[in-house]
Amino acid sequence: MGSDEGLSKAYSFLEQGDISQAKRVLTDVLEYDLDNQEVSFALWCCSFWAGYIRILPNMDVFERGEALLTQWKAFLQALTRQKPVDRTLFALQKGIFSLALESFTSLINEQFPMKQAELRCKIALCYKKLGKYETALETLKDRNILAEQSAQILAEMADCYALCGEEKKAKVLFREAFFIDAQKVDLALLDSELICCLIRQVQKKGYTGAALQEWIPVYGVLYGIFNVKRELRSHEVGQLKQDIYARENELRDPACNASTLTPKLINVYFWLIDHYVRTENSGEKINEILLRIKILDRNIYDLYVK
């Protein structure tokens, strides 16, 4: 069997989630084409997943789907030490998320301890990873999902809108998601270049972990990505002011986690400034908030007012 024929056969198995069969084919091909980098990479992928796929039948249905999502993120981390081949990754992603989708969809309309809204969000994620963006969006538009207003659900909706080319809706929802709770947004599962480009830019500044999550909405504003905004309701304005008061007090404590508190506070300042921009005779209030930003982080202030 030639390399091209063997790879095509192996990819067919990968797309079906049959890792063991794909591995057998690739092992045979490698014997006759030791220097083929694509075959070597595909075999590495199979080796990474083979043992894990083998234990899936021992798990309950929901645990199986969750385990696949968790392992996919671990796989992406391991991938940073490899030279990936897009064709291989496409086939593998199709197989893994088809298996996850099968697990999650089997639980719809059953008595299940997890909220159906969260379950449907996971189903939408699988559709997105399979390239079915419109189907993912339709799944996310379920009224029970929308009622949740969770950061992760809104981020998934934003990602799907961006992948469908509806950037304006995507920008509004991404900004909302990171405002609700930046650390609840699973960055590893986002795919659209709109948000991935922003994430890469903030990573280049040296931020990682929770600090990275909190700085993303700040630089989203500074780089003009989170530039589609909505008008706040009166109770939201009151909540913003309470949040500012609480975080400013918290930041005065020498034991506080300034690495996450500072960007959180700056992001809330940005939201309040946006509100004041829409309000007549609010120039003095805007200047007051700008002064607080200047004291907190001069570099951010300079980027914001330039």
Side-chain angles (χ1 to χ4, degrees), residues 26-67:
L26 290 165
T27 302
D28 290 342
V29 173
L30 194 65
E31 287 184 15
Y32 301 100
D33 195 355
L34 289 171
D35 297 325
N36 191 311
Q37 294 301 309
E38 184 173 353
V39 174
S40 297
F41 175 69
L43 198 52
W44 174 83
C45 292
C46 290
S47 297
F48 183 96
W49 282 95
Y52 205 82
I53 296 295
R54 201 159 36 243
I55 64 173
L56 287 180
N58 300 328
M59 304 178 186
D60 66 44
V61 180
F62 174 70
E63 185 185 4
R64 197 179 305 159
E66 278 285 83

Side-chain angles (χ1 to χ4, degrees), residues 70-101:
T70 301
Q71 189 68 359
W72 181 258
K73 289 189 282 186
F75 172 71
L76 293 180
Q77 281 290 94
L79 202 58
T80 60
R81 300 184 292 274
Q82 300 292 323
K83 292 182 178 179
V85 177
D86 289 344
R87 184 182 170 201
T88 311
L89 292 179
F90 179 80
L92 180 64
Q93 179 167 306
K94 184 175 181 180
I96 296 302
F97 283 93
S98 292
L99 291 174
L101 180 63

Side-chain angles (χ1 to χ4, degrees), residues 193 196-208 212 216 219 223:
E193 191 58 21
C196 289
C197 180
L198 175 59
I199 293 168
R200 289 194 297 270
Q201 291 300 314
V202 181
Q203 284 174 327
K204 285 178 183 176
K205 295 185 175 296
Y207 296 114
T208 59
L212 169 67
I216 284 170
Y219 282 98
Y223 293 160

Side-chain angles (χ1 to χ4, degrees), residues 5-271:
E5 183 187 353
L7 279 167
S8 295
K9 190 173 181 181
Y11 288 154
S12 179
F13 283 127
L14 282 182
E15 289 178 3
Q16 297 166 44
D18 194 340
I19 307 296
S20 59
Q21 284 283 57
K23 188 175 182 181
R24 288 191 193 98
V25 172
L26 290 165
T27 302
D28 290 342
V29 173
L30 194 65
E31 287 184 15
Y32 301 100
D33 195 355
L34 289 171
D35 297 325
N36 191 311
Q37 294 301 309
E38 184 173 353
V39 174
S40 297
F41 175 69
L43 198 52
W44 174 83
C45 292
C46 290
S47 297
F48 183 96
W49 282 95
Y52 205 82
I53 296 295
R54 201 159 36 243
I55 64 173
L56 287 180
N58 300 328
M59 304 178 186
D60 66 44
V61 180
F62 174 70
E63 185 185 4
R64 197 179 305 159
E66 278 285 83
L68 286 165
L69 300 189
T70 301
Q71 189 68 359
W72 181 258
K73 289 189 282 186
F75 172 71
L76 293 180
Q77 281 290 94
L79 202 58
T80 60
R81 300 184 292 274
Q82 300 292 323
K83 292 182 178 179
V85 177
D86 289 344
R87 184 182 170 201
T88 311
L89 292 179
F90 179 80
L92 180 64
Q93 179 167 306
K94 184 175 181 180
I96 296 302
F97 283 93
S98 292
L99 291 174
L101 180 63
E102 184 182 343
S103 294
F104 291 132
T105 51
S106 69
L107 295 168
I108 286 291
N109 299 323
E110 289 191 14
Q111 287 189 337
F112 189 65
M114 187 178 126
K115 292 181 181 178
Q116 286 291 312
E118 191 177 344
L119 180 61
R120 289 179 185 275
C121 185
K122 292 180 184 298
I123 289 170
L125 167 65
C126 292
Y127 279 129
K128 182 187 78 174
K129 291 292 187 180
L130 293 171
K132 299 177 180 179
Y133 308 134
E134 290 82 4
T135 306
L137 265 177
E138 287 306 310
T139 304
L140 287 168
K141 286 177 181 177
D142 179 277
R143 59 189 178 88
N144 292 319
I145 292 182
L146 295 175
E148 289 287 308
Q149 289 293 293
S150 80
Q152 181 59 28
I153 289 171
L154 290 178
E156 278 299 322
M157 286 193 75
D159 207 33
C160 288
Y161 274 123
L163 290 165
C164 288
E166 297 190 56
E167 284 204 350
K168 186 173 181 180
K169 291 179 180 178
K171 288 179 174 184
V172 170
L173 290 174
F174 270 132
R175 187 168 184 258
E176 200 80 28
F178 279 93
F179 179 71
I180 291 172
D181 193 338
Q183 293 181 46
K184 289 287 177 65
V185 177
D186 197 333
L187 304 183
L189 297 177
L190 298 176
D191 292 334
S192 63
E193 191 58 21
L194 176 72
I195 194 67
C196 289
C197 180
L198 175 59
I199 293 168
R200 289 194 297 270
Q201 291 300 314
V202 181
Q203 284 174 327
K204 285 178 183 176
K205 295 185 175 296
Y207 296 114
T208 59
L212 169 67
Q213 310 259 150
E214 298 294 349
W215 279 108
I216 284 170
V218 173
Y219 282 98
V221 171
L222 296 176
Y223 293 160
I225 297 170
F226 290 2
N227 60 353
V228 182
K229 300 157 187 178
R230 67 170 176 83
E231 193 165 344
L232 295 174
R233 294 177 282 273
S234 57
H235 75 276
E236 290 178 311
V237 177
Q239 185 61 54
L240 276 180
K241 292 177 180 178
Q242 288 179 31
D243 288 347
I244 287 172
Y245 178 77
R247 287 170 185 169
E248 284 178 341
N249 283 335
E250 195 176 347
L251 204 53
R252 292 187 186 101
D253 182 351
C256 77
N257 187 355
S259 67
T260 56
L261 257 180
T262 298
K264 270 185 181 180
L265 184 54
I266 291 172
N267 191 36
V268 179
Y269 284 151
F270 285 170
W271 277 74

